[in-house]
Amino acid sequence: MADLAFPYVTAAVALPLAGAALAAANETRARMVSMAAAAGATLSSLGAFLAVERAGGGRLDEPWGLSLFSADPLNATFLLLYSLLTLGILVLAPRRDATSKINAATLLVLAATLAAYGADNVVVLAIGWVVSALPFIAGPFHGTWRPRVGLMLSCLALVGALGIIANAAMTDRSAHPLSLAALQGHNYGGAAAFAMLMAAIVFRKGIFPAHAWIEDAAEAGPVLPFCLFLNGHLGAFLLARVVIPEFPLSARGAFPILSDLALFTALYAAVRAVAEGSARRILALLVLSQSACILAGLESATQEGITGALVHCIVVAAATTGLFSVLRLMEVRFGRSFTAAEYLGLARYTPRLAVLFAVCGLALVGLPGTLGFCSEDLLIHGTLVSHPQIGLLLPVATAMNAVSLFRLFSKIFLGARAGGVYGVTDAVPRERWVLAAIALFLVVAGLTPATILGFRTQAAQAAQAPPHEKAGGPLPPAPHSAILAESCPAGICR
Amino acid sequence: MTDQQAMLLFVVFGPGVVFFGLALLWLLGWNAPERFLSRVTAVVYALETAAVAWLLWLVAGRGEPAVVVALGDWFAVHDYQFPLVLLGDALSLSFLTLTVVLVGVIGQFSSTYLHRDPGFGRFFLLLHLFAFGALLIFSAGSFDLIIGGWELVGITSVLLISFFHFRAGPVENAWRVFVVYRACDLGLITAAFLLHHVGHVSTFAGGMPHVEGGTATLVGLLLLLSAAGKSAQAPFSGWLPRAMEGPTPSSAIFYGAISVHAGAYLLLRAQPILLASPWAGAAVMVTGALTAVLGTLAGRACPDAKTALAYASLAQVGVIFVEIGAGLHWFAVLHILGHAAVRTLQFLRAPSTLRDFHQMHAAAGGQVTPTGKHLERVVPTRWQLWLYRCAIDRGHLDTVLEWMIVRPLCGLSVLLARFDQVGLPARAPAPAPGVVRGNEAIGKQGVLHG
């Protein structure tokens, strides 16, 4: 197996950790330190991304005897995207949201999330998962009780599941009992571990009925770090990284139920957003709905659906970062949280922020010419092929999301000017450049999606399940067509 | 690539390139002056008109084969491809010609009509985006590509309805139009998937995918849903008068000429599917006939010129639907071309209606005295009041849709919100200005803190 030329993933995790310590200690230069650390993490992630692309899509281990992390097509894009989004948020965050404490906690979330992405070891994965949630459970970002409970349950379920898996692997005298790569197809821990992993995903992703904490966290907590946390999509990543490779048959058996639940959540959140008043809750519900679509795509067992889901992860992350950022910038300018109760007419003061909000929103709901259109097209195709009746809910949910988003846009930016509003400034350069980069990425990648789709297709193949699971040693992976044939007897997937 | 193919590419993508260029420059901080925008628009559409006229002459005049441009797949995953195929046959080229000519005319008209309007640049940006979307619909060689253009036309339509966004009325109406568009677009998306799934191909450049029986009926009805939404046919007619909130030039190009006929084009393109299913064809005819009657009725009780024109337009499109359902393919095309041209002129003259009337009145020596009583004379008196109530409520269509769909959906949403709040204290009311919820600090209105 090939190695990376440099321990890029270790560097991407270590730099934000060091940056968090420095930012916490240095109040006056916290912002500069944080941006430098995030930029360092971005460069390291870019190094890993390019190395994986040069290697043609295989898995690359870290050099110098570091065996905690690895890079492959599935995690390389996540590493780069998440680092970039964190850097963007640190650059555009309003001054009141860029204190040393908040920046240090943001960098901690970044380091932990990157560790979870790059983990080649169940312990590292568990640590990354738990530490990324810590600031929202007991740290500076903690909110009301429901987010704390939801995240705690998710952490407990994951730690419990990974503990059971590691214990079973040790009992089975596996050569590398803690290595994720060595666990593929073994079904260590059986139904108990599988159920706990699924519970961790359900709580982390906010799948019905464990969805309400997402709204509460968005409403009461600091919105930019929460957006960053949500866009980690660690639940979907866990599904692709651990559940499908580790428990292929159990996963295949449970997928129809999970897929239906995810689609139901997508529709539930979409309906819920229709009459919601709070702007933050509306955006949270839209993210919830679109994130559930990602899970539905992953569980469709078709390559179109899985590729669409992996691309949609990128779209949701970029677009919702843009949306939440514009919302937060407008809140700071306007002086209060927004409700969808009255028209505020702020577009006359902030036309560029309004346009950037609209572009990100339209990309999120799949406007042609944006990357969202490609991912939605693949997602809808994949889910309709695997579940024709239930799959119809996906375009319905997306249509309702678009309606809610346009309502929110029109209430904030259009209509008669609200009384007492004066002198609201449009995007300042550091905000404009970050948001324009996000919007441009969504449009340019949408016009020329082949590159991203090609890379994500490799990731989809990497996330495909091996053919059998057993209590003993690993089996060689089956060709993709065999898996599709098994999951799709009619042959329409082929 | 042949000259014809290059020309078709130029016709379709020209407005798109102009839009992206101008939008990027605006985002980077450059506000294009009015004269620059007007001249660019004039030059682009003059060239487009010449190009499309040449193509039309080659294909329709000299009988050369249709121009097909296969640009490969936009994206492909496993066995699923999104083909980029443009088709320039006689039907496409008729609509392409109509579009570039009328957009050019509207561009020239608007450069004077919207002179010094704060939204001048925005209007022209959206006009180019609309033209790109419409040209994509009419030249698409696959249903997937039609969806792309369909959505672009929808979003530009909504953004132009809310053009005067400093008033709540246009914004509210734009939102309602958006709701109808999104709901009806589901028909096209699902139909495209079904054709892909059953016919194993979604392009029709080499002939329409073969479907028959129940599948043909289902696909036909789904396409009818989408076409009815875009062309404001019953029961979705209620959005058309709301769309009159936009500036007059956009009303003319969207609801007099291009957008309102896009649904008819879709059905014309799907003619083989409608012919394969008598039920779908009959549904198209019934929808068109109902809309024509409704449009005629409601149009007689409209208080303003643009809304009356909108209903007149709607009634004509209803008749066009009947023609399509009856299989009168080329008759419907001629009807569309004539209707679009006349209606555009009427819409553009709508702001001068009173002046025109007075001029006509004076020219006739003060003898023009409309009675307003023609059809009413043949209706029994006891029916007149009922019909009048039906006309002023525009056929009760919006009322029915609100009772059957909007209210239950909002009620369900509120119910789910209550379910989500179980175990929590009641949500606080909206905060007073200046007070921030949750962990946020107290801010001052309108002051930049970033």
Side-chain angles (χ1 to χ4, degrees), chain A residues 140-161:
Chain A
F141 303 148
H142 80 275
T144 52
W145 68 269
R146 283 206 300 201
R148 289 203 300 267
V149 170
L151 286 172
M152 272 194 284
L153 288 174
S154 142
C155 292
L156 286 174
L158 183 90
V159 171

Tab-separated table of all heavy atoms in Angstrom, chain A residues 140-161:
chain	number	residue	atom	x	y	z
A	140	PRO	N	-18.163	26.628	24.983
A	140	PRO	CA	-18.721	27.979	24.784
A	140	PRO	C	-19.920	28.032	23.849
A	140	PRO	O	-20.625	29.035	23.810
A	140	PRO	CB	-17.541	28.742	24.170
A	140	PRO	CG	-16.669	27.703	23.567
A	140	PRO	CD	-16.823	26.487	24.403
A	141	PHE	N	-20.166	26.962	23.073
A	141	PHE	CA	-21.278	26.991	22.119
A	141	PHE	C	-22.530	26.299	22.649
A	141	PHE	O	-23.473	26.079	21.898
A	141	PHE	CB	-20.874	26.302	20.807
A	141	PHE	CG	-19.655	26.882	20.155
A	141	PHE	CD1	-18.794	26.078	19.409
A	141	PHE	CD2	-19.366	28.231	20.257
A	141	PHE	CE1	-17.673	26.609	18.794
A	141	PHE	CE2	-18.241	28.772	19.653
A	141	PHE	CZ	-17.398	27.968	18.922
A	142	HIS	N	-22.536	25.892	23.900
A	142	HIS	CA	-23.664	25.099	24.372
A	142	HIS	C	-24.929	25.958	24.417
A	142	HIS	O	-24.894	27.146	24.693
A	142	HIS	CB	-23.381	24.481	25.743
A	142	HIS	CG	-23.582	25.430	26.877
A	142	HIS	ND1	-22.604	26.287	27.290
A	142	HIS	CD2	-24.651	25.666	27.678
A	142	HIS	CE1	-23.065	27.003	28.310
A	142	HIS	NE2	-24.292	26.653	28.562
A	143	GLY	N	-26.036	25.297	24.133
A	143	GLY	CA	-27.307	26.022	24.091
A	143	GLY	C	-28.297	25.423	25.069
A	143	GLY	O	-27.972	25.162	26.219
A	144	THR	N	-29.497	25.138	24.567
A	144	THR	CA	-30.544	24.596	25.433
A	144	THR	C	-30.321	23.099	25.668
A	144	THR	O	-29.385	22.517	25.118
A	144	THR	CB	-31.925	24.822	24.780
A	144	THR	OG1	-31.872	24.305	23.458
A	144	THR	CG2	-32.250	26.300	24.720
A	145	TRP	N	-31.209	22.469	26.427
A	145	TRP	CA	-30.943	21.084	26.835
A	145	TRP	C	-31.071	20.085	25.697
A	145	TRP	O	-30.373	19.080	25.670
A	145	TRP	CB	-31.816	20.692	28.023
A	145	TRP	CG	-33.303	20.594	27.719
A	145	TRP	CD1	-34.218	21.593	27.829
A	145	TRP	CD2	-34.024	19.453	27.246
A	145	TRP	NE1	-35.458	21.161	27.460
A	145	TRP	CE2	-35.375	19.838	27.107
A	145	TRP	CE3	-33.681	18.140	26.940
A	145	TRP	CZ2	-36.367	18.972	26.661
A	145	TRP	CZ3	-34.670	17.267	26.499
A	145	TRP	CH2	-35.993	17.688	26.364
A	146	ARG	N	-31.933	20.339	24.745
A	146	ARG	CA	-32.136	19.318	23.700
A	146	ARG	C	-30.895	19.096	22.822
A	146	ARG	O	-30.537	17.942	22.564
A	146	ARG	CB	-33.358	19.665	22.852
A	146	ARG	CG	-34.641	19.334	23.576
A	146	ARG	CD	-35.797	19.063	22.648
A	146	ARG	NE	-36.116	20.191	21.787
A	146	ARG	CZ	-37.300	20.345	21.203
A	146	ARG	NH1	-38.258	19.478	21.401
A	146	ARG	NH2	-37.525	21.370	20.432
A	147	PRO	N	-30.210	20.154	22.379
A	147	PRO	CA	-28.972	19.891	21.635
A	147	PRO	C	-27.936	19.143	22.465
A	147	PRO	O	-27.259	18.250	21.962
A	147	PRO	CB	-28.471	21.295	21.287
A	147	PRO	CG	-29.665	22.145	21.306
A	147	PRO	CD	-30.573	21.568	22.344
A	148	ARG	N	-27.846	19.487	23.737
A	148	ARG	CA	-26.847	18.819	24.582
A	148	ARG	C	-27.172	17.329	24.708
A	148	ARG	O	-26.302	16.476	24.567
A	148	ARG	CB	-26.795	19.474	25.969
A	148	ARG	CG	-26.178	20.866	25.942
A	148	ARG	CD	-25.623	21.246	27.293
A	148	ARG	NE	-26.622	21.251	28.342
A	148	ARG	CZ	-27.305	22.320	28.716
A	148	ARG	NH1	-27.085	23.475	28.123
A	148	ARG	NH2	-28.194	22.265	29.677
A	149	VAL	N	-28.467	17.060	24.941
A	149	VAL	CA	-28.865	15.654	25.111
A	149	VAL	C	-28.686	14.891	23.789
A	149	VAL	O	-28.152	13.769	23.767
A	149	VAL	CB	-30.335	15.572	25.592
A	149	VAL	CG1	-30.847	14.141	25.527
A	149	VAL	CG2	-30.434	16.093	27.014
A	150	GLY	N	-29.109	15.491	22.690
A	150	GLY	CA	-28.986	14.837	21.388
A	150	GLY	C	-27.542	14.485	21.074
A	150	GLY	O	-27.226	13.361	20.664
A	151	LEU	N	-26.663	15.440	21.295
A	151	LEU	CA	-25.251	15.195	20.985
A	151	LEU	C	-24.629	14.195	21.952
A	151	LEU	O	-23.803	13.366	21.549
A	151	LEU	CB	-24.483	16.518	21.011
A	151	LEU	CG	-24.766	17.409	19.807
A	151	LEU	CD1	-24.138	18.778	19.968
A	151	LEU	CD2	-24.244	16.746	18.539
A	152	MET	N	-25.023	14.281	23.232
A	152	MET	CA	-24.471	13.323	24.202
A	152	MET	C	-24.879	11.896	23.836
A	152	MET	O	-24.063	10.975	23.871
A	152	MET	CB	-24.954	13.663	25.614
A	152	MET	CG	-24.033	14.657	26.312
A	152	MET	SD	-24.337	14.759	28.053
A	152	MET	CE	-25.797	15.707	28.129
A	153	LEU	N	-26.150	11.724	23.469
A	153	LEU	CA	-26.616	10.379	23.091
A	153	LEU	C	-25.873	9.878	21.857
A	153	LEU	O	-25.505	8.702	21.768
A	153	LEU	CB	-28.129	10.410	22.825
A	153	LEU	CG	-29.000	10.566	24.065
A	153	LEU	CD1	-30.470	10.722	23.675
A	153	LEU	CD2	-28.845	9.356	24.984
A	154	SER	N	-25.648	10.787	20.929
A	154	SER	CA	-24.920	10.400	19.717
A	154	SER	C	-23.497	9.959	20.069
A	154	SER	O	-23.008	8.940	19.564
A	154	SER	CB	-24.917	11.593	18.757
A	154	SER	OG	-23.727	11.715	18.090
A	155	CYS	N	-22.849	10.705	20.954
A	155	CYS	CA	-21.473	10.354	21.349
A	155	CYS	C	-21.452	9.020	22.098
A	155	CYS	O	-20.593	8.164	21.846
A	155	CYS	CB	-20.870	11.450	22.228
A	155	CYS	SG	-20.581	12.973	21.326
A	156	LEU	N	-22.399	8.846	23.021
A	156	LEU	CA	-22.445	7.601	23.801
A	156	LEU	C	-22.670	6.403	22.887
A	156	LEU	O	-22.011	5.360	23.020
A	156	LEU	CB	-23.566	7.671	24.840
A	156	LEU	CG	-23.290	8.560	26.046
A	156	LEU	CD1	-24.523	8.658	26.927
A	156	LEU	CD2	-22.109	8.002	26.852
A	157	ALA	N	-23.585	6.570	21.929
A	157	ALA	CA	-23.886	5.461	21.011
A	157	ALA	C	-22.664	5.107	20.184
A	157	ALA	O	-22.329	3.931	20.004
A	157	ALA	CB	-25.053	5.846	20.101
A	158	LEU	N	-21.960	6.135	19.707
A	158	LEU	CA	-20.786	5.842	18.870
A	158	LEU	C	-19.673	5.191	19.679
A	158	LEU	O	-19.076	4.187	19.251
A	158	LEU	CB	-20.250	7.115	18.224
A	158	LEU	CG	-19.080	6.784	17.315
A	158	LEU	CD1	-19.542	6.492	15.910
A	158	LEU	CD2	-18.025	7.843	17.305
A	159	VAL	N	-19.393	5.764	20.838
A	159	VAL	CA	-18.312	5.199	21.662
A	159	VAL	C	-18.656	3.762	22.047
A	159	VAL	O	-17.798	2.863	21.986
A	159	VAL	CB	-18.081	6.084	22.909
A	159	VAL	CG1	-17.134	5.407	23.885
A	159	VAL	CG2	-17.522	7.433	22.491
A	160	GLY	N	-19.913	3.536	22.411
A	160	GLY	CA	-20.345	2.179	22.775
A	160	GLY	C	-20.173	1.221	21.605
A	160	GLY	O	-19.617	0.118	21.753
A	161	ALA	N	-20.607	1.645	20.412
A	161	ALA	CA	-20.518	0.776	19.240
A	161	ALA	C	-19.068	0.460	18.903
A	161	ALA	O	-18.709	-0.705	18.666
A	161	ALA	CB	-21.199	1.453	18.055
